Amino acid sequence: MSKSSTKKSKSFTLTENSTGNSFELPVLEGSVGPRVIDVRNLYAETGCFTYDPGYTSTGSCESTITYIDGEDGVLLYRGYPIQDLAGKCDYPEICYLLLYGELPTELQKSKFEDNITHHTMLHEQISTFYRGFRRDSHPMAIMCGVVGALSAFYHDSLDIADPSHRMIASYRMIAKIPTIAAQAYKYSIGQPFIAPRNDLSYSENFLHMMFATPAESYEVSQTLAKAMDRILILHADHEQNASTSTVRLAGSSGANPFACIAAGIASLWGPAHGGANEAVLNMLEEIGHIDNIPKFIKKAKHKEDPFRLMGFGHRVYKNFDPRAKIMQQTCHEVLEELGIKDEPLLDLAMELERIALEDDYFIEKKLYPNVDFYSGIIFKAMGIPVSMFTVLFAVARNVGWIAQWNEMVEDPSQRIGRPRQLYLGETERTFVELKKRK
Ligand code: CMC
């Protein structure tokens, strides 16, 4: 895996007003993107910590995997623009690219796919494990549990110091996550699990495991398989977002990869992150009619009202999310190819987008539709239940988590993640015995 070395450029001088003391901080330059002030020695030299809740100004690691320019709406995987990849590659090629840093040759691709295909089955006892969940469990709850439990089944890929263990664990995760996700769905609707089929592509196999039943033959729609593949590609990685940072932080202690991915899934579940696609659809249903849009826009703008327009805004993109543009186009293609002429939720979404993009509040705060704004509508058209939306995001992002986890483990500068705090609690107090407390 290639890794370009960080360049050191000029330094940054920090002056303490009260004492006049100055401190030189090195400034690092990546291959592209903003310069980075290296504060690693700040505490040792100044006795101060930095304070940055939400890490809006903090880089947590070096990475060569994904680059985002939020101002210009650019997203690159290993240097390739997402628009090129989404139009010309399939998902296994993207997995290879994210893991190894290069697009595969034909031979490398077929070997990789063969490896992935032959790890898609789950240990039989995992099927028994599912039965411990209530039937009405949210599939994301099942995902957190079952993925974490993989470490109890695959003992031969837990030694993170061994590169071959790491690679087997990575292949297993990429191969098995669609099976786990499809089984979470089947369990929640009371249908039998459908075994993976090695003659199908990654996306075809996933759809087959989701929608086939033992009672009749099921033909995977090429339209849906193509759309699924594109959705997986668009969500495959997104640099140091909340779930990826969670995977890295969990992994920084030396935890095994299955446990780390389970932590990532838990983080993804939240409505501000991967849970947004589910929340968008629920919101559109709540809005119900185009006439109600102004009322909801007003609510979203109201300072005291916690309501937000789901599918709008992004921590990094202050321009159109490039994934949202592709997703919008895919959405139209899917609806057209499925012959869905009138999709009231899409009409509602289009109108909401139009009104929000003309509204001063959204313009000033640079709140554009994000990737989740359209994915829910596509999933709905594909017949995927709302509770599975975030699960699909997890299936797609799994490879990003794996690639980032591998990069972290191989990074010699990696240390356990341990942020500091600005303590505002009581200073040391005298202990009072229970009987004497008032
Ligand atoms: N609707 C209304 N107002 C919003 C929205 C929104 N969707 N998003 C941000 N704002 C306002 C926010 O109230 C704040 O206003 P003020 O400056 O007056 O306090 C300002 O915009 C900045 O917002 P922020 O919360 O400080 O921004 P953030 O970078 O911390 O949050 C976000 C980013 C994605 C969590 C947020 O925009 C949001 O909650 N969006 C809706 C949920 C969503 O669609 N999430 C999916 C993100 S894309 C998929 C992924 O990467 O997981």
Side-chain angles (χ1 to χ4, degrees):
M1 292 177 208
S2 65
K3 183 139 186 161
S4 59
S5 57
T6 319
K7 279 185 272 174
K8 279 196 182 171
S9 70
K10 297 170 189 114
S11 63
F12 194 90
T13 307
L14 193 70
T15 306
E16 194 173 1
N17 287 342
S18 56
T19 60
N21 290 341
S22 287
F23 306 94
E24 290 289 308
L25 296 170
V27 173
L28 308 176
E29 272 187 79
S31 40
V32 61
R35 288 167 306 145
V36 173
I37 302 169
D38 181 350
V39 295
R40 274 175 290 189
N41 291 329
L42 187 75
Y43 177 58
E45 287 179 19
T46 67
C48 296
F49 299 141
T50 56
Y51 181 61
D52 187 17
Y55 312 122
T56 48
S57 302
T58 298
S60 59
C61 59
E62 288 182 5
S63 184
T64 61
I65 302 174
T66 294
Y67 174 72
I68 303 173
D69 180 338
E71 298 302 323
D72 285 342
V74 172
L75 170 61
L76 311 176
Y77 291 166
R78 300 284 191 184
Y80 296 104
I82 190 68
Q83 295 82 343
D84 292 346
L85 298 173
K88 294 175 188 142
C89 294
D90 62 17
Y91 184 67
E93 268 175 278
I94 300 302
C95 293
Y96 187 99
L97 174 68
L98 292 171
L99 274 184
Y100 292 106
E102 296 297 336
L103 284 165
T105 61
E106 274 181 305
L107 187 64
Q108 287 165 332
K109 180 171 187 279
S110 76
K111 228 172 128 189
F112 179 71
E113 277 177 317
D114 197 55
N115 261 318
I116 296 297
T117 304
H118 288 94
H119 280 98
T120 47
M121 276 176 35
L122 292 176
H123 191 292
E124 185 52 22
Q125 255 178 288
I126 296 181
S127 310
T128 328
F129 189 75
Y130 277 87
R131 294 203 195 109
F133 290 98
R134 279 172 53 144
R135 281 281 173 196
D136 58 355
S137 303
H138 194 290
M140 279 299 275
I142 300 182
M143 293 293 288
C144 292
V146 175
V147 171
L150 293 182
S151 43
F153 288 89
Y154 299 103
H155 299 150
D156 58 346
S157 52
L158 297 182
D159 179 2
I160 68 158
D162 182 335
S164 71
H165 275 228
R166 291 202 299 272
M167 217 19 95
I168 295 171
S170 304
Y171 280 35
R172 280 190 170 136
M173 270 313 305
I174 296 168
K176 292 183 198 307
I177 201 155
T179 316
I180 297 170
Q183 292 194 356
Y185 172 54
K186 288 296 196 190
Y187 184 79
S188 73
I189 57 167
Q191 285 188 4
F193 297 154
I194 299 295
R197 262 184 49 190
N198 291 354
D199 59 324
L200 298 179
S201 74
Y202 193 89
S203 293
E204 287 168 348
N205 178 46
F206 183 33
L207 289 170
H208 176 259
M209 290 189 293
M210 287 270 297
F211 295 118
T213 65
E216 54 193 43
S217 64
Y218 174 80
E219 184 95 15
V220 181
S221 148
Q222 284 312 302
T223 306
L224 298 194
K226 212 176 112 205
M228 176 61 76
D229 215 64
R230 191 176 286 181
I231 291 167
L232 295 180
I233 292 172
L234 293 179
H235 288 84
D237 194 47
H238 215 226
E239 54 120 303
Q240 310 312 320
N241 55 81
S243 55
T244 303
S245 298
T246 302
V247 170
R248 279 186 179 259
L249 192 57
S252 74
S253 69
N256 76 70
F258 304 114
C260 297
I261 302 302
I265 293 172
S267 168
L268 186 78
W269 195 358
H273 193 8
N277 52 17
E278 183 174 338
V280 168
L281 215 82
N282 292 335
M283 177 192 73
L284 290 175
E285 270 160 6
E286 197 191 338
I287 295 175
H289 194 273
I290 286 175
D291 293 349
N292 297 331
I293 292 176
K295 192 175 94 195
F296 282 86
I297 296 260
K298 203 169 157 200
K299 262 169 83 61
K301 286 156 56 170
H302 198 287
K303 265 254 169 254
E304 309 307 320
D305 194 325
F307 175 79
R308 285 185 168 197
L309 273 195
M310 300 314 285
F312 276 79
H314 198 275
R315 168 61 61 79
V316 183
Y317 294 119
K318 301 302 169 198
N319 197 323
F320 235 97
D321 178 342
R323 302 168 302 169
K325 278 191 186 162
I326 305 171
M327 207 58 113
Q328 186 191 41
Q329 190 195 330
T330 309
C331 185
H332 286 293
E333 279 168 20
V334 168
L335 294 180
E336 201 182 308
E337 285 187 54
L338 291 177
I340 302 174
K341 296 244 167 2
D342 291 314
E343 171 50 70
L345 285 185
L346 181 67
D347 295 342
L348 194 58
M350 299 300 289
E351 188 58 7
L352 183 63
E353 181 189 21
R354 191 189 66 75
I355 295 177
L357 288 176
E358 285 173 2
D359 190 288
D360 284 348
Y361 174 92
F362 287 84
I363 294 170
E364 271 162 30
K365 294 190 189 298
K366 300 186 175 172
L367 299 169
Y368 290 86
N370 59 48
V371 68
D372 288 321
F373 189 65
Y374 290 101
S375 57
I377 299 164
I378 306 180
F379 291 151
K380 186 170 183 284
M382 290 169 89
I384 291 166
V386 176
S387 64
M388 282 297 287
F389 289 5
T390 311
V391 173
L392 291 178
F393 195 156
V395 170
R397 183 56 57 83
N398 170 60
V399 68
W401 293 329
I402 284 287
Q404 302 264 354
W405 174 82
N406 272 298
E407 184 178 63
M408 181 204 64
V409 175
E410 286 166 15
D411 184 346
S413 67
Q414 131 70 22
R415 301 171 72 189
I416 186 167
R418 177 49 172 97
R420 305 305 292 254
Q421 63 175 3
L422 174 62
Y423 178 69
L424 298 174
E426 296 286 349
T427 53
E428 191 169 321
R429 298 199 272 181
T430 309
F431 179 75
V432 181
E433 295 291 341
L434 181 61
K435 283 184 191 147
K436 293 184 186 160
R437 284 178 219 157
K438 291 184 187 127

